[in-house]
Amino acid sequence: MKYITRSFEETEAAAARLADTLKGGEVIAMYGDLGAGKTAFVRGLARALGINAHITSPTFTIVNEYEGRLELYHFDVYRINDPEEIYEVGYEDYINSDGVCIIEWAELIEELLPQDCIRVKINKDSSHGDDYREITIENSDI
Ligand code: ADP
Ligand code: MG
């Protein structure tokens, strides 16, 4: 499924639609440059799961945990030097849990992603304006 969004709020709304399809146990790999809107997408997803906490990228801690309709594990692997480092924070347990894992900068751990993961790709196209984003969601029910 492909969404065009023209604001932060529209990206949150697209994420909320994905959230409504989640049953637990999914891994969502996110792709997109700095400022693409990955964290915005996570915020929309989290809110739709009933999480009220303020979501920020866990760049230095690698993973943040939130409690909602489902547990949400928010990864940002931008700062890791070696893909294997994420095992030290318990990656294996998180991806095999009943919660939902969502991973910013998933390309940096591509070989460690489950093959059946949901992929969310966010691209800017400034020829359509600063706030224009194309969001492609692969391997999900939406
Ligand atoms: P990332 O996590 O990919 O680095 P963020 O979500 O932190 O990106 O930041 C995205 C920035 O782009 C925010 O400042 C947000 O307000 C802005 N923005 C503008 N238009 C959009 C859009 N359509 N979707 C998401 N964010 C947008
Ligand atoms: Mg981010």
Side-chain angles (χ1 to χ4, degrees):
M1 175 66 92
K2 190 164 162 181
Y3 293 89
I4 303 295
T5 71
R6 295 178 189 278
S7 68
F8 178 94
E9 290 84 0
E10 285 181 16
T11 291
E12 286 197 338
R17 291 191 58 178
L18 175 61
D20 289 343
T21 70
L22 300 174
K23 300 178 176 72
E26 292 88 353
V27 176
I28 305 168
M30 299 204 71
Y31 303 82
D33 293 341
L34 197 67
K38 300 180 296 300
T39 302
F41 192 94
V42 177
R43 286 191 180 130
L45 189 109
R47 190 168 311 161
L49 290 177
I51 295 161
N52 296 317
H54 181 64
I55 308 283
T56 54
S57 266
T59 310
F60 292 98
T61 52
I62 302 182
V63 60
N64 284 338
E65 299 186 16
Y66 301 97
E67 178 79 46
R69 172 172 77 76
L70 300 167
E71 296 255 345
L72 182 67
Y73 307 119
H74 178 201
F75 289 77
D76 182 331
V77 298
Y78 186 65
R79 299 251 165 215
I80 65 165
N81 296 308
D82 183 319
E84 303 286 330
E85 275 177 42
I86 61 161
Y87 285 109
E88 289 163 25
V89 300
Y91 179 66
E92 192 85 16
D93 292 334
Y94 285 116
I95 63 169
N96 290 310
S97 76
D98 294 335
V100 174
C101 292
I102 190 161
I103 306 169
E104 297 194 38
W105 296 102
E107 58 265 54
L108 298 178
I109 59 159
E110 190 64 47
E111 64 270 36
L112 306 180
L113 297 171
Q115 280 202 330
D116 62 348
C117 70
I118 297 169
R119 294 177 199 272
V120 176
K121 300 175 181 173
I122 309 182
N123 286 304
K124 296 189 195 183
D125 183 348
S126 51
S127 69
H128 293 285
D130 283 349
D131 295 348
Y132 178 95
R133 303 288 189 275
E134 286 178 3
I135 304 176
T136 307
I137 303 180
E138 296 171 0
N139 206 19
S140 86
D141 295 337
I142 60 160

